[in-house]
């Protein structure tokens, strides 16, 4: 298996709006990230994934871009981003930018020209004379009428996010220019937003009846996807030492293997979503009781199917997902379950991703009022639910559990007002538990979740078997124990996780002669795992 830096380093995702506000206007910014580089260095991460900072009307907090080559003033300027790249590289940290090219903002010049059918821009987007019945990821219709052009245009997300027409070579050339512009600035790679949606059936046939995402069969992992990704790789990416991680909604391991097989030269790795359905019916708003066996089944399916074929990512959180400790862990066993989840996940094979705040055990927020939620998806889904006669109370329960704003509350730096994120009222309310859960407290406490994450990160650097070893489940059918081994021809690493709030008795422990290199409990009983106890054994 090819050894490379983007398999070995931890990636830390920053949602800039909520990370750190250096000029006290209530919105996080690029200069704020620069100020926090020493913190990131102390954690030990090697790569930053920065969510979009480009010019945008912020309808979807920057995932609706109106100028790919300039920076939104609330985040800073082009010289700020150049300074960020310079300072990160000085600290031996690489930078991955968010590439959102399935769609632009409707404020983008290209869309304004397309409405007017101006020259080559006429076909930069998807237009139809008649309405098409596809539905949007954000609820409601995915085709909206534009009064000026007097045609319908496609937006798989918000109305303000028209989908680009990737069958148009001029559009693909525009994307290549954007990628080249940022690579030439010293960027080290891209997280590619909903990249498996870019190729569509351009005849726009109606979708077959479906409760969710009507029309998805006409764009989900369309065959042209591989052709376009390979073209982008061949013409631009291949000329740089960089990597790409595709966000691929509803992808299966077979397609993911094609997308990430090194010899196909398409993407370096993908974010799949199977394990994020461990507590819902594939649409997060239709929740189900979480069972750890469901998480284990999907994570190990991907370990086994991609092993030796493609390359995986390891994540439980991002800016679209509510906090893992609320979904898969336990607030009662806050430290134990957060550290067990980290152990369970990060000793598997794949590039590990940490989302801001996860390393200190930040949790979901619980705003009482709908207006405290800022996310467009949350408000659209609320409106749709109410139209379907669901009660306000029922919708608020879903929102409190699954709103993306759970991951977007200001980063909790210390116990001062607004959690040290800003001296100004933040754009979204701070989670009131910041006095208890914050970076300062975590750094000062040698037994904190932060210190445990530092240890996990340093072990990965020390033991290549964690990166490159083969994977095998142990005790797969066991509903409480999540255990697996990593091995090569000389070493074996064994991970044991008690994925429950009860003690678990081991019938035997064959690893007592191995070195116990990590545990989230100080004293370890040979045959008894305490609630959410995690252990990592290594035999060299
Ligand atoms: O997310 C894709 C997407 O489908 C998300 O909406 C996610 O699947 C869902 O919210 C989880 O239930 C990407 C970006 O990560 C997201 O922030 C953007 O809103 C979206 O694309 C449009 O760019
Ligand atoms: Ca600011």
């Amino acid at each position: 298996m090819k050894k490379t830096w983007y398999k070995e380093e931890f990636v830390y995702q920053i949602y800039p709006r909520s990370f750190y506000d250096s000029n006290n206007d209530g919105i996080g910014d690029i200069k704020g990230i620069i100020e926090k580089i020493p913190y990131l260095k102390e954690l030990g991460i090697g790569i930053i994934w920065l969510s979009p900072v480009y010019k945008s009307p912020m309808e979807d907090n920057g995932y609706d871009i109106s100028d790919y080559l300039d920076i939104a003033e609330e985040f800073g300027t082009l010289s700020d981003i150049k300074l960020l790249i310079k300072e990160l590289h000085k600290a031996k940290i690489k930078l991955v930018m968010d590439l959102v090219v399935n769609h632009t903002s409707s404020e983008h010049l290209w869309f304004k020209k397309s409405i007017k059918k101006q020259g080559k821009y006429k076909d930069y987007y998807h237009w139809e004379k008649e309405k098409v019945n596809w539905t949007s990821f954000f609820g409601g219709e995915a085709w909206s009428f534009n009064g000026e052009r007097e045609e319908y245009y496609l937006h798989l997300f918000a109305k303000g996010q028209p989908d680009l027409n990737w069958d148009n070579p001029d559009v693909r050339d525009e994307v290549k220019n954007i990628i080249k512009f940022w690579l030439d600035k010293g960027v080290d790679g891209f997280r590619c937003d909903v990249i498996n949606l870019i190729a569509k059936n351009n005849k726009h046939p109606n979708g077959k009846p479906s409760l969710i995402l009507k029309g998805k069969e006409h764009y989900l992992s369309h065959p042209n996807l591989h052709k376009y990704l390979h073209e982008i790789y061949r013409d631009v990416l291949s000329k740089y030492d960089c990597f790409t991680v595709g966000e691929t909604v509803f992808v299966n391991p077979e397609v993911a293997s094609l997308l990430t097989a090194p010899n196909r030269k398409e993407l370096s790795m993908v974010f799949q979503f199977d394990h994020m359905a461990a507590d819902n019916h594939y649409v997060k708003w239709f929740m189900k009781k979480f069972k750890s066996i469901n998480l284990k089944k999907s994570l190990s399916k991907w370990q086994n199917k991609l092993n030796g074929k493609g390359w995986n990512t390891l994540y439980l959180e991002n800016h679209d997902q509510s906090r893992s400790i609320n979904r898969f862990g336990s607030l009662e066993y806050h430290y134990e379950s957060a550290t067990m989840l980290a152990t369970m996940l990060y000793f598997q094979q794949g590039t590990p991703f940490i989302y801001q705040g996860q390393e200190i055990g930040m949790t979901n927020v619980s705003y009482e009022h709908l207006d405290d939620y800022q996310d467009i998806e949350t408000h659209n889904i609320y409106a749709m639910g109410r139209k379907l006669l669901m009660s306000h109370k029922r919708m608020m329960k879903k929102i409190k559990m699954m709103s993306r704003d759970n991951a977007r509350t200001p980063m909790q730096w210390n116990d001062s007002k607004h959690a040290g994120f800003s001296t100004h009222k933040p754009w979204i309310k701070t989670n009131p538990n910041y006095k208890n859960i914050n970076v300062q407290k975590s750094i000062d406490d040698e037994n904190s979740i932060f210190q445990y994450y530092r240890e996990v990160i340093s072990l990965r650097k020390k033991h290549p078997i964690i990166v490159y070893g083969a994977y095998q489940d142990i005790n797969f059918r066991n509903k409480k124990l999540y255990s697996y081994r990593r091995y090569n021809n000389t070493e074996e690493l064994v991970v044991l996780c008690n994925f429950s709030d009860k003690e678990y008795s081991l019938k035997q422990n064959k690893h007592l002669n191995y070195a116990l290199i990590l545990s989230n409990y100080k004293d370890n009983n040979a045959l008894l795992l305490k609630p959410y106890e995690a252990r990592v054994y290594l035999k060299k």
Side-chain angles (χ1 to χ4, degrees):
M1 186 189 300
K2 183 168 162 279
K3 294 187 187 296
T4 173
W5 55 272
Y6 57 74
K7 292 183 176 177
E8 296 163 4
E9 297 289 352
F10 266 78
V11 187
Y12 187 90
Q13 182 195 354
I14 290 179
Y15 194 69
R17 199 172 199 82
S18 307
F19 190 64
Y20 182 61
D21 174 18
S22 70
N23 63 346
N24 296 310
D25 62 357
I27 298 173
D29 43 59
I30 294 166
K31 285 203 172 101
I33 299 170
I34 294 171
E35 286 189 39
K36 294 299 181 184
I37 289 177
Y39 167 71
L40 300 168
K41 203 62 203 155
E42 187 175 352
L43 178 57
I45 52 103
I47 303 168
I48 297 282
W49 154 25
L50 178 60
S51 275
V53 287
Y54 317 100
K55 277 212 182 321
S56 159
M58 299 296 169
E59 200 186 338
D60 187 15
N61 283 354
Y63 281 90
D64 50 322
I65 295 165
S66 54
D67 184 346
Y68 291 89
L69 309 184
D70 201 354
I71 302 298
E73 51 273 10
E74 60 251 66
F75 292 135
T77 62
L78 268 176
S79 55
D80 291 339
I81 200 87
K82 284 179 203 159
L83 181 61
L84 174 64
I85 293 168
K86 183 166 150 273
E87 292 304 315
L88 283 173
H89 286 173
K90 224 193 287 176
K92 300 218 177 324
I93 297 175
K94 293 184 183 282
L95 178 66
V96 166
M97 298 277 274
D98 216 314
L99 186 71
V100 187
V101 287
N102 170 69
H103 49 270
T104 69
S105 160
S106 50
E107 296 299 305
H108 199 291
L109 208 50
W110 299 341
F111 190 64
K112 292 180 176 172
K113 291 184 173 180
S114 191
I115 288 172
K116 297 183 184 321
K117 298 188 183 179
Q118 263 177 9
K120 67 174 183 175
Y121 299 100
K122 178 171 173 291
D123 296 321
Y124 263 40
Y125 296 84
H126 295 268
W127 293 98
E128 281 296 340
K129 290 231 170 305
E130 301 303 320
K131 191 167 176 329
V132 184
N133 72 351
W134 302 0
T135 54
S136 153
F137 279 74
F138 286 168
E141 301 296 327
W143 289 81
S144 290
F145 187 71
N146 175 272
E148 196 177 340
R149 178 159 168 165
E150 295 186 324
E151 288 180 1
Y152 290 86
Y153 71 90
L154 170 64
H155 54 85
L156 289 178
F157 292 92
K159 284 197 174 76
Q161 293 172 293
D163 283 56
L164 283 166
N165 169 16
W166 271 73
D167 289 350
N168 184 334
D170 291 334
V171 167
R172 300 200 298 273
D173 286 345
E174 299 273 15
V175 173
K176 292 174 198 171
N177 293 337
I178 293 165
I179 292 173
K180 192 173 180 324
F181 175 88
W182 288 107
L183 289 172
D184 288 342
K185 292 259 175 307
V187 162
D188 303 288
F190 297 94
R191 176 266 186 184
C192 308
D193 191 62
V194 288
I195 200 67
N196 66 320
L197 307 184
I198 58 175
K200 278 107 173 166
N201 175 340
N202 252 333
K203 293 194 178 43
H204 309 131
N206 271 328
K208 55 182 194 284
S210 161
L211 249 184
I212 56 154
L213 294 176
K214 204 181 294 175
K216 58 186 172 298
E217 65 275 19
H218 300 308
Y219 57 78
L220 258 189
S221 300
H222 186 282
N224 285 342
L225 171 65
H226 302 287
K227 189 169 73 173
Y228 297 155
L229 288 176
H230 181 70
E231 179 184 321
I232 300 290
Y233 180 88
R234 182 196 64 209
D235 296 354
V236 187
L237 295 166
S238 58
K239 299 170 174 46
Y240 297 80
D241 177 18
C242 67
F243 86 92
T244 50
V245 47
E247 182 202 28
T248 46
V249 287
F250 300 111
V251 77
N252 60 38
E254 292 64 38
V255 172
S257 304
L258 294 176
L259 289 168
T260 60
N263 61 343
R264 289 175 59 92
K265 303 182 187 318
E266 295 179 14
L267 295 168
S268 315
M269 62 191 87
V270 294
F271 289 128
Q272 53 84 19
F273 285 70
D274 279 1
H275 61 299
M276 298 315 272
D279 61 354
N280 62 76
H281 298 285
Y282 274 90
V283 177
K284 66 184 185 185
W285 306 105
F286 302 122
M287 300 179 280
K288 69 186 180 193
K289 183 170 172 10
F290 168 67
K291 290 193 193 107
S292 58
I293 190 79
N294 292 337
L295 194 66
K296 174 164 44 170
K297 274 185 192 156
S298 49
L299 284 174
S300 64
K301 176 176 83 172
W302 281 82
Q303 288 292 304
N304 295 316
K305 293 239 180 185
L306 284 194
N307 189 14
K309 291 203 190 79
W311 191 252
N312 212 345
T313 57
L314 307 173
Y315 79 95
L316 288 179
E317 296 192 19
N318 61 41
H319 64 292
D320 291 331
Q321 302 291 341
S322 48
R323 293 288 182 176
S324 56
I325 204 155
N326 291 75
R327 296 173 72 177
F328 313 130
S330 150
L331 295 180
E332 187 196 347
Y333 290 91
H334 183 255
Y335 169 83
E336 294 79 3
S337 65
T339 49
M340 182 280 296
L341 287 170
T343 314
M344 176 278 295
L345 184 71
Y346 293 131
F347 284 88
Q348 298 193 26
Q349 187 185 89
T351 295
F353 285 74
I354 298 171
Y355 176 65
Q356 69 182 46
Q358 177 188 334
E359 79 277 14
I360 59 168
M362 278 178 67
T363 70
N364 283 357
V365 72
S366 179
Y367 298 134
E368 274 325 299
H369 304 292
L370 179 63
D371 292 350
D372 287 335
Y373 290 90
Q374 306 298 322
D375 177 21
I376 184 168
E377 180 195 55
T378 298
H379 285 282
N380 285 13
I381 294 295
Y382 176 84
M384 195 169 85
R386 298 288 280 135
K387 238 195 304 194
L388 295 170
L389 305 178
M390 285 190 200
S391 68
H392 170 78
K393 191 159 168 265
R394 189 164 167 210
M395 287 312 294
M396 287 307 288
K397 182 167 179 279
K398 285 179 185 290
I399 286 168
K400 286 184 181 185
M401 194 59 210
M402 289 299 194
S403 168
R404 302 189 298 182
D405 282 339
N406 282 309
R408 301 177 180 185
T409 57
M411 181 70 181
Q412 294 166 195
W413 294 102
N414 55 48
D415 61 5
S416 69
K417 199 165 167 27
H418 307 312
F421 164 75
S422 175
T423 57
H424 186 288
K425 178 171 169 285
W427 69 280
I428 189 169
K429 283 182 179 173
T430 310
N431 192 320
N433 66 15
Y434 70 87
K435 290 210 181 293
N436 231 349
I437 298 173
N438 63 69
V439 166
Q440 197 49 58
K441 189 163 178 257
S442 270
I443 288 179
D444 296 344
D445 170 5
E446 64 174 24
N447 297 318
S448 66
I449 297 168
F450 173 82
Q451 299 299 355
Y452 192 88
Y453 264 74
R454 285 185 70 217
E455 186 54 26
V456 170
I457 294 169
S458 66
L459 284 171
R460 188 180 183 84
K461 289 183 182 135
K462 215 164 120 195
H463 302 288
I465 187 172
I466 301 171
V467 184
Y468 297 108
Y471 173 94
Q472 188 180 30
D473 288 303
I474 304 173
N475 246 332
F476 184 64
R477 298 202 182 298
N478 190 308
K479 289 189 168 44
K480 290 203 175 354
L481 202 60
Y482 195 137
S483 47
Y484 59 86
R485 60 194 279 264
R486 303 291 306 279
Y487 61 95
N488 55 33
N489 44 26
T490 54
E491 298 173 300
E492 180 185 41
L493 180 132
V494 174
V495 176
L496 288 185
C497 295
N498 174 8
F499 215 125
S500 85
D501 57 1
K502 305 277 181 300
E503 288 187 341
Y504 183 87
S505 315
L506 295 167
K507 291 188 184 53
Q508 56 172 339
N509 184 339
K510 292 183 286 186
H511 318 300
L512 294 176
N513 60 334
Y514 289 24
L516 179 63
I517 60 170
L518 182 70
S519 177
N520 58 354
Y521 276 85
K522 282 278 161 272
D523 50 338
N524 310 90
N525 177 315
L527 292 176
L528 186 86
L529 294 177
K530 296 186 186 71
Y532 296 107
E533 181 171 351
R535 292 184 199 169
V536 181
Y537 292 100
L538 178 64
K539 184 186 82 173
K540 290 189 90 66

